[in-house]
Amino acid sequence: MTDGAEFEKPAYFITTPIYYVNDNPHIGHVYTTLACDVLARFMRLDGRRVIFLTGTDEHGQKVERSAQAQGMAPQAFTDRMSQNFRELSASWQFSNDDFIRTTEARHVRSAQALWQRLKDNGQIYLGAYAGWYAVRDEAFYSEDELTRGEDGQMYAPSGAVADWVEEPSYFFRLSEWQDRLLDLYQRNPDFIGPEARRNEVISFVKSGLRDLSISRTTFSWGIPVPDDPDHIMYVWLDALTNYITAVGYPETESELFRAFWPADLHMVGKDILRFHAIYWPAFLMAAGVEPPKRVYAHGWWTNEGQKISKSLGNVIDPYDIIEQYGLDQVRYFMLREVPFGNDGDFSHRAIVGRINNDLANDFGNLGQRVLSMIHKNCEGAVPEPGRLMAADEALLNSSAALLDRVRASLSTQSFHTALEAIWEVVGEANRYMEHTAPWILRKTDRARMRTVLYVAAEVIRRLAILTQPFMPNGPAQLLDQMDQPRDERTFADLEQRLQPGRAIPKPKGVFPRYVEAEEQKA
């Protein structure tokens, strides 16, 4: 994040859910954070001041039990597990500006301040809870949401065991917010995405909301309720507050809070949409704080057509896949393969197809052959172009129009359509090369050859700048090979043309083909 004085465009605040530390990071955590990383990188390149927040959710009965099972104190357990998520962010080159932990003093202060505001506004009362609670989900369920297994146990829709719980509890007056939530959704049709998830939430709220139990007394690992330390705050009220903690709550008049709140986007998995699209805006409005601008719920991944689970032994390790396929390659595949918001299948055949066809053959080969021809035939420097013909102008115009197309797609979290738009121009550039055939012009019309190679190089420069948010390495290497200064790689620099005379050394391939182990042995 940079000082706001440098920026003319609105600030941009994007968040992942904070990840529960009772288990190691998996592909689902990666998917959510990757989507946020692309948006954060895009907005920075687009001249916006950005906070990209991620972190860990460290309280609750599930964490307390996991720590006990490891023979550890909860704080020591969360220290170790939270570090796993930091290391994952580093290995995937996520560019988060802040990493928040709910055990931090700044967060405890913020969560207790929100509680006090809700209490002062008459939104909290003391009662007793009797109902079904799933520790694994840290969620309360009504009986009509549960199913009874053959073992007689009650199960939540997620498959988690639900137990009957009776204890004193503070309640939030959620029932009073039903109409105001429906009004929020109606006034802000983009508040929840995608459309199918929005409809689910509206249907749930219309079916009736009951007051929500927001404290527990049967365990102690959590944030104490102000003025009543026998109670700890319900883990979801605690966890959701992280989003305002990071921008300085309860200092709502601070420059940081005023610049970045309400958040532009909370990115979540579809399994936790209810907490973010119902409970969270209700808590905020009840405390006199604006709700976020948008909540988007993405889908889940399967592995070779099967649901991912430990029992099946098909868990996708986030470190193994980037070791096997490459970081840029996996990032590209995960955002290109399926419409974001839908469920997707992670298959070896599909990712190899994307690597070899889209990246190696289409984009990588385009850059390699154009830069190689410039190096060999133009004295190792960007050539001076001559008069542009219709084909040249058409390709340049297509590449110039890309930024608006990509910006529009990403404004609705449509990553696959953004990449499809970019690859349309990759394909157009390859067809341009075949049509103009500079390898023939080298013998018949060297002036025209130089113009063709200049146009192709300029389009490659634009493509590399636009693909930076998706892939942090390959596009940067392409720009290095074109002698593009590091401080001239933002979207504002798309308005300038490639400078003739810049050195083009002998290029190296940036997107190698994936070769199966059997082929390597052969």
Side-chain angles (χ1 to χ4, degrees):
M1 188 183 70
T2 318
D3 183 8
E6 300 175 24
F7 298 85
E8 296 180 1
K9 295 183 178 181
Y12 186 80
F13 183 25
I14 184 168
T15 72
T16 73
I18 51 172
Y19 301 121
Y20 215 49
V21 293
N22 68 309
D23 205 353
N24 288 319
H26 55 67
I27 197 68
H29 302 125
V30 163
Y31 192 44
T32 317
T33 314
L34 170 59
C36 293
D37 183 58
V38 170
L39 290 169
R41 288 173 180 269
F42 183 91
M43 296 302 172
R44 293 188 196 106
L45 290 169
D46 209 17
R48 297 180 69 173
R49 182 185 179 198
V50 171
I51 293 180
F52 165 22
L53 176 69
T54 189
T56 45
D57 177 7
E58 303 182 14
H59 291 132
Q61 192 172 7
K62 185 164 54 172
V63 169
E64 187 176 71
R65 288 182 180 179
S66 295
Q68 290 169 351
Q70 296 281 329
M72 300 178 70
Q75 186 64 61
F77 174 79
T78 57
D79 288 346
R80 186 183 74 184
M81 298 301 285
S82 180
Q83 185 61 27
N84 292 338
F85 286 89
R86 286 185 186 271
E87 291 170 359
L88 183 76
S89 285
S91 68
W92 277 71
Q93 296 183 27
F94 295 143
S95 62
N96 50 291
D97 301 283
D98 194 359
F99 187 100
I100 194 165
R101 300 179 58 188
T102 55
T103 51
E104 292 179 59
R106 62 170 171 164
H107 178 70
V108 173
R109 174 173 172 267
S110 174
Q112 290 182 327
L114 181 65
W115 178 287
Q116 193 62 51
R117 183 69 57 84
L118 291 170
K119 186 178 179 182
D120 291 346
N121 289 352
Q123 296 296 316
I124 292 176
Y125 63 91
L126 182 61
Y129 179 77
W132 296 99
Y133 186 77
V135 173
R136 195 182 84 187
D137 297 345
E138 297 287 9
F140 302 97
Y141 291 100
S142 60
E143 190 156 346
D144 59 7
E145 293 180 275
L146 305 176
T147 55
R148 188 177 297 277
E150 294 181 359
D151 57 0
Q153 179 68 60
M154 299 297 279
Y155 289 91
S158 65
V161 172
D163 295 310
W164 185 261
V165 174
E166 295 186 20
E167 61 182 316
S169 178
Y170 284 94
F171 286 81
F172 170 69
R173 300 184 189 277
L174 183 63
S175 60
E176 296 183 2
W177 289 89
Q178 180 172 336
D179 290 342
R180 281 173 280 192
L181 284 167
L182 292 172
D183 180 62
L184 172 69
Y185 307 148
Q186 183 177 0
R187 287 186 291 105
N188 302 277
D190 294 330
F191 179 71
I192 303 168
E195 183 70 16
R197 303 292 169 221
R198 178 177 185 271
N199 294 338
E200 289 173 9
V201 168
I202 291 173
S203 176
F204 182 86
V205 174
K206 283 183 175 179
S207 70
L209 297 177
R210 294 177 300 173
D211 289 352
L212 181 68
S213 172
I214 55 169
S215 75
R216 303 293 305 276
T217 59
T218 52
F219 63 97
S220 59
W221 182 240
I223 295 177
V225 166
D227 302 323
D228 194 348
D230 289 340
H231 290 252
I232 60 165
M233 292 171 58
Y234 172 46
V235 69
W236 272 105
L237 176 56
D238 161 6
L240 290 163
T241 306
N242 91 90
Y243 302 128
I244 52 176
T245 298
V247 290
Y249 189 83
E251 276 76 39
T252 56
E253 295 303 312
S254 68
E255 189 279 332
L256 185 69
F257 194 90
R258 291 166 66 92
F260 285 98
W261 193 264
D264 293 87
L265 179 64
H266 292 327
M267 186 74 78
V268 301
K270 62 183 180 180
D271 54 323
I272 56 172
L273 177 60
R274 183 186 302 180
F275 303 102
H276 286 80
I278 300 174
Y279 299 170
W280 181 227
F283 293 153
L284 288 169
M285 291 189 291
V289 179
E290 280 189 79
K293 296 175 186 175
R294 182 166 168 84
V295 179
Y296 194 96
H298 64 73
W300 292 333
W301 284 91
T302 54
N303 187 357
E304 302 290 351
Q306 287 188 307
K307 182 179 178 180
I308 296 174
S309 72
K310 289 181 180 178
S311 60
L312 291 175
N314 66 346
V315 173
I316 299 173
D317 184 279
Y319 295 97
D320 289 349
I321 55 172
I322 59 174
E323 177 69 25
Q324 180 175 358
Y325 301 109
L327 177 61
D328 278 8
Q329 289 81 350
V330 177
R331 286 173 61 115
Y332 173 80
F333 169 78
M334 294 185 76
L335 295 175
R336 175 72 193 273
E337 185 67 8
V338 294
F340 195 73
N342 294 0
D343 292 339
D345 185 48
F346 199 103
S347 80
H348 175 72
R349 181 179 178 182
I351 190 170
V352 170
R354 291 290 183 191
I355 291 171
N356 289 345
N357 296 325
D358 297 10
L359 295 177
N361 290 356
D362 294 344
F363 193 19
N365 187 51
L366 174 67
Q368 178 84 358
R369 65 176 175 168
V370 170
L371 299 185
S372 291
M373 285 201 71
I374 291 174
H375 176 73
K376 290 178 183 177
N377 301 291
C378 303
E379 295 78 45
V382 176
E384 186 78 44
R387 183 175 62 87
L388 298 179
M389 296 186 176
D392 310 326
E393 296 282 11
L395 180 58
L396 289 168
N397 290 341
S398 292
S399 63
L402 266 182
L403 176 58
D404 286 343
R405 295 178 67 189
V406 173
R407 190 186 281 128
S409 290
L410 294 188
S411 71
T412 59
Q413 294 74 60
S414 187
F415 298 95
H416 69 291
T417 61
L419 287 167
E420 284 169 3
I422 293 171
W423 254 256
E424 281 179 23
V425 177
V426 170
E428 191 175 339
N430 277 306
R431 290 188 294 274
Y432 169 83
M433 287 292 288
E434 293 302 319
H435 174 72
T436 56
W439 48 90
I440 295 175
L441 293 171
R442 180 171 63 89
K443 301 174 183 177
T444 61
D445 189 345
R446 291 186 68 85
R448 176 63 185 152
M449 175 201 73
R450 286 191 288 271
T451 300
V452 166
L453 292 176
Y454 176 86
V455 169
E458 167 61 7
V459 170
I460 290 167
R461 183 188 74 94
R462 295 177 183 180
L463 291 168
I465 287 174
L466 284 165
T467 49
Q468 290 177 107
F470 300 91
M471 299 177 286
N473 301 310
Q477 291 168 22
L478 264 178
L479 292 167
D480 287 344
Q481 294 181 38
M482 301 177 75
D483 199 24
Q484 183 78 8
R486 293 296 178 98
D487 61 352
E488 294 181 12
R489 300 183 180 188
T490 71
F491 297 155
D493 298 304
L494 292 169
E495 298 173 8
Q496 309 300 321
R497 289 270 175 99
L498 187 60
Q499 290 183 5
R502 283 199 170 156
I504 302 291
K506 184 178 181 179
K508 298 177 181 177
V510 297
F511 294 118
R513 288 181 59 79
Y514 182 89
V515 180
E516 300 287 357
E518 295 78 8
E519 294 179 56
Q520 290 179 334
K521 291 176 184 176

